[in-house]
Amino acid sequence: MTAVTDEGTGPAGSPASHEDQDADGAVPVRETGRVPEPGRDWNDGLIARRALAKAVDPEPEAARDDDVRPPQVEAYVPSGGPLRPRLDALRELVGLSRARLDGDTLAEAGRVLDEAAARQRLSSRHTVVAIAGATGSGKSMLFNTLAGAQISETGLRRPTTAAPIACSWTDGAAGLLDRLAIPGRLRRRPQQGGADTDEALQGLVLVDLPDHDSAATEHRKQVDRVLALVDAVIWVVDPEKYADAALHERYLRPLAGHAEITFVVLNQIDRLPGDAADQILDDLRRLLDEDGMALGEHGEPGATVMSLSALTGEGVGELREVLGRFVQERTAAARRLSADVDAAAARLRPVYVAEGRPGLGEQTREEFTDRLAEAVGAAAAGQAAEREWRRNAGRACCTPWLRLWRWYESARRPGSLERPAQPEPPEEELTARQRVEQAVRTLADEAADGLPGPWAQAVREAAVHGADGLPEALDALVERAGAEHTSGGPVVVATGVAGASGVAHSGRVGGKPPRPKWWPAAVLAQAAMTLLQIFGGLWLVGQIVGLLEPGYLTPAMVMLTGVVGGPLVEWSCAAAARGPARRYGQEADRQLREAAAACGRARVLDPVAAELVRYREVRERYAAVTEISTTGG
């Protein structure tokens, strides 16, 4: 049996050198690049290790430069392991969400990433297990029993354990203990027992914590701090406090997702008569089940629940055996980090998981375009264009007498026939602007329907921001569309499509509309009918005054042909112009509708769609964080 030694002494109890001691006068545990060979009884003191190394291997240091030495720190997570892609996905998720979520929401995920990075840089050959419990539960006695020596102080005075104390079964755990902020004077080595016992616990770092229900606030803070960093926890409960609400509500219930790295030990069963221990153990399992903690029974993954007596040693061997298998698996840290990722993902679920299938469907886009087209008066513009086309056709194909009459009316009452379109009253203009705003609000509500709060707010903000200046943008796009339109289609003139006070469209069509090929023939036919009227009239006048021989029937028929043929040609042209006029009006409607749609798409639809794409990206990252869980979360 090797004597229990302190960190500040060598194998014979001699003091360590001053340069190897810390500020408290103790030598901290340090990682070494060499693996202890069988038969070497190394102490944790640096001087002792050097002395023993020289005694066993007296060759000079230069002779061993080519020795193959294992790395000081092993990689914790294999590159192909399930934890690394989850951590990468969580890191990407946090990065994509910083502009949309506040820092408090992402704080826990950031902490998990930081702690995972810190743990991965440290030794993977060690498993850090904390022993936690309430005042008087006997956790320090269990700690000493597992270590085989009186390391942690026990007694009637409460609280007995004032600071975390560590016991490491192998070298190389200095970095892990530094991470736990355990000073060198509180780092110990266990009493060496049988070969099987020592081999089973190789890599174990056991930490005795202060009482979690201590009256000293600083003690509770240390417990919370260390519990967030260790790889596994042994909760020691006694027959009197195993159902303590503080233990279940503050620790066991929040850590229910960490069941695979949790041991719950019922201590002091030597005080219980008969089968009372089994009854209490069953009740403890019931309480853990109510806490939501899975129990590792019948080969299922979960918490290990057992009973023992640290005083008499009953059940301690079973715990040591279970703990040895747990340590040799070397998966505790991975399970701990995976459970932390599960917990962080569960907290983030309300801000990433939507109800239903939010997004911009084709119907939503079409309805938004229809509302904008209605706001700018696309249908009215098409109808006005159709009327204008038919009016221009009537002017070109009407009889000269009717055209002369219209000229006379226009000269007598200027503006009677060609009055410019009057702007709509301010009330109607305001209503048109309100239609645009209502269209944007409706689109934003439909796109954000079912989204989590922050992303729904981002979608609405994008829509509202795009709606600023949308009436003016509609005006500019419609005018540009009219200016760039080819000569084969209508030229829409926007007179105050937006303006300073609202959205309105005059519906006027400027320029000369395209004429069908039959228009020249119609004009010639109308001219011929006019000539027939003039010729027949002159012929009749000549016969009446005696310049020509009498014969009224023929000139009357010629004149009647011209009189009847002129209106007939005009009516035929009006009938033939209905189809082209309708298509011309539809083209004007389509052009204005497309201009409004392009404006709405650029200023509202695209920004909203970009926010939805961003949400889908973070949703995919969140799914990657949760779907590869190794702890069932």
Side-chain angles (χ1 to χ4, degrees):
M1 300 290 286
T2 303
V4 178
T5 58
D6 189 86
E7 294 285 349
T9 63
S14 59
S17 63
H18 292 288
E19 62 184 12
D20 291 329
Q21 296 178 350
D22 61 9
D24 297 317
V27 179
V29 176
R30 303 185 183 181
E31 297 189 5
T32 176
R34 296 181 59 84
V35 177
E37 298 178 4
R40 290 191 182 183
D41 187 13
W42 282 5
N43 200 300
D44 212 27
L46 182 60
I47 296 179
R49 292 202 300 271
R50 290 176 177 173
L52 288 175
K54 289 182 178 180
V56 176
D57 187 5
E59 296 182 15
E61 292 291 331
R64 298 196 306 261
D65 288 342
D66 296 333
D67 290 351
V68 178
R69 300 184 180 184
Q72 180 177 354
V73 178
E74 298 179 6
Y76 170 64
V77 180
S79 59
L83 180 59
R84 186 173 298 278
R86 297 187 69 204
L87 291 174
D88 293 341
L90 182 61
R91 189 174 295 107
E92 295 177 6
L93 179 67
V94 172
L96 290 172
S97 305
R98 291 193 185 278
R100 296 294 178 266
L101 304 179
D102 58 86
D104 294 339
T105 303
L106 299 174
E108 179 62 18
R111 187 196 67 80
V112 170
L113 290 173
D114 293 341
E115 296 302 338
R119 182 63 181 91
Q120 289 174 352
R121 289 192 296 265
L122 299 174
S123 173
S124 65
R125 297 179 291 110
H126 294 80
T127 301
V128 183
V129 181
I131 297 183
T135 303
S137 61
K139 59 180 180 56
S140 296
M141 182 176 294
L142 178 60
F143 177 83
N144 293 335
T145 302
L146 292 173
Q150 188 71 18
I151 297 177
S152 184
E153 182 181 355
T154 62
L156 297 177
R157 181 177 60 87
R158 297 288 183 264
T160 303
T161 306
I165 301 175
C167 180
S168 177
W169 267 252
T170 53
D171 296 328
L176 293 170
L177 296 176
D178 290 340
R179 180 169 174 252
L180 299 180
I182 298 179
R185 59 186 174 83
L186 297 178
R187 304 179 187 183
R188 301 290 187 268
R189 296 298 297 275
Q191 175 76 28
Q192 299 298 319
D196 295 341
T197 302
D198 294 340
E199 182 67 23
L201 297 181
Q202 292 299 306
L204 174 62
V205 180
L206 202 59
V207 180
D208 185 22
L209 298 179
D211 303 332
H212 70 77
D213 60 348
S214 173
T217 305
E218 185 61 28
H219 292 183
R220 298 196 301 269
K221 290 181 178 179
Q222 291 190 58
V223 172
D224 295 342
R225 177 183 61 81
V226 176
L227 285 179
L229 302 176
V230 297
D231 300 330
V233 184
I234 299 176
W235 290 99
V236 181
V237 298
D238 59 76
E240 296 178 355
K241 296 183 179 180
Y242 74 93
D244 185 18
L247 170 64
H248 289 268
E249 294 179 3
R250 184 175 180 182
Y251 295 105
L252 295 180
R253 191 169 299 166
L255 294 175
H258 296 66
E260 293 186 24
I261 57 165
T262 300
F263 297 79
V264 182
V265 175
L266 175 63
N267 192 18
Q268 304 177 7
I269 61 172
D270 56 294
R271 298 168 46 193
L272 300 175
D275 60 350
D278 294 335
Q279 296 178 3
I280 294 179
L281 207 60
D282 291 341
D283 194 43
L284 177 59
R285 291 191 179 95
R286 178 187 61 81
L287 293 174
L288 293 175
D289 184 68
E290 292 179 356
D291 292 335
M293 181 172 293
L295 302 181
E297 299 176 345
H298 309 294
E300 296 293 331
T304 301
V305 183
M306 56 191 309
S307 60
L308 53 79
S309 173
L311 180 62
T312 64
E314 181 183 356
V316 175
E318 182 182 354
L319 174 62
R320 186 186 296 271
E321 180 181 353
V322 173
L323 195 59
R325 291 197 302 267
F326 181 78
V327 171
Q328 293 309 312
E329 289 177 356
R330 295 186 180 180
T331 59
R335 295 179 183 181
R336 169 60 195 258
L337 293 179
S338 184
D340 288 344
V341 172
D342 289 340
R347 293 188 183 95
L348 292 175
R349 181 179 177 84
V351 298
Y352 287 118
V353 179
E355 300 175 359
R357 301 176 61 88
L360 285 176
E362 189 64 27
Q363 182 177 358
T364 302
R365 294 173 179 269
E366 292 179 357
E367 290 177 353
F368 178 68
T369 300
D370 292 341
R371 293 188 181 98
L372 289 184
E374 181 182 0
V376 299
Q383 295 173 1
E386 180 180 353
R387 289 193 299 269
E388 187 74 9
W389 202 98
R390 295 174 66 177
R391 186 161 51 248
N392 291 339
R395 294 195 192 100
C397 300
C398 66
T399 62
W401 317 117
L402 181 58
R403 187 178 303 176
L404 183 62
W405 171 255
R406 289 174 178 171
W407 174 84
Y408 171 76
E409 287 290 329
S410 176
R412 188 167 64 90
R413 291 182 298 177
S416 60
L417 298 179
E418 298 290 343
R419 286 179 293 181
Q422 299 296 326
E424 296 183 7
E427 294 78 7
E428 296 184 5
E429 293 181 352
L430 183 61
T431 300
R433 175 179 289 273
Q434 290 175 345
R435 288 177 180 174
V436 173
E437 295 175 352
Q438 182 181 6
V440 173
R441 285 195 303 269
T442 302
L443 173 75
D445 291 341
E446 293 180 359
D449 184 31
L451 281 175
W455 304 100
Q457 181 65 23
V459 167
R460 290 190 176 92
E461 289 178 356
V464 172
H465 179 73
D468 292 339
L470 180 58
E472 292 75 12
L474 286 172
D475 187 14
L477 280 180
V478 170
E479 290 181 351
R480 190 179 306 121
E484 295 177 355
H485 199 277
T486 60
S487 60
V491 180
V492 180
V493 178
T495 57
V497 173
S501 59
V503 176
H505 192 278
S506 64
R508 296 194 61 193
V509 178
K512 295 181 179 180
R515 296 183 177 183
K517 296 180 180 180
W518 51 264
W519 273 27
V523 173
L524 290 177
Q526 196 66 262
M529 295 299 104
T530 303
L531 290 176
L532 286 177
Q533 294 179 38
I534 296 175
F535 179 74
L538 293 177
W539 193 353
L540 285 175
V541 171
Q543 289 181 348
I544 293 174
V545 298
L547 296 178
L548 297 174
E549 294 181 1
Y552 300 110
L553 180 60
T554 301
M557 293 296 297
V558 171
M559 185 176 178
L560 182 61
T561 301
V563 172
V564 176
L568 184 62
V569 170
E570 182 178 0
W571 178 84
S572 300
C573 290
R578 292 175 184 173
R582 186 181 302 108
R583 290 190 294 273
Y584 182 71
Q586 292 173 350
E587 178 66 15
D589 184 358
R590 183 195 62 79
Q591 181 184 3
L592 188 55
R593 180 181 294 271
E594 289 182 355
C599 183
R601 180 171 57 253
R603 298 185 66 90
V604 179
L605 285 178
D606 288 349
V608 169
E611 289 295 335
L612 293 174
V613 169
R614 188 184 186 96
Y615 168 73
R616 281 193 290 269
E617 290 179 356
V618 299
R619 184 66 180 85
E620 291 173 357
R621 293 295 87 202
Y622 180 80
V625 172
T626 56
E627 68 184 2
I628 321 176
S629 172
T630 59
T631 60

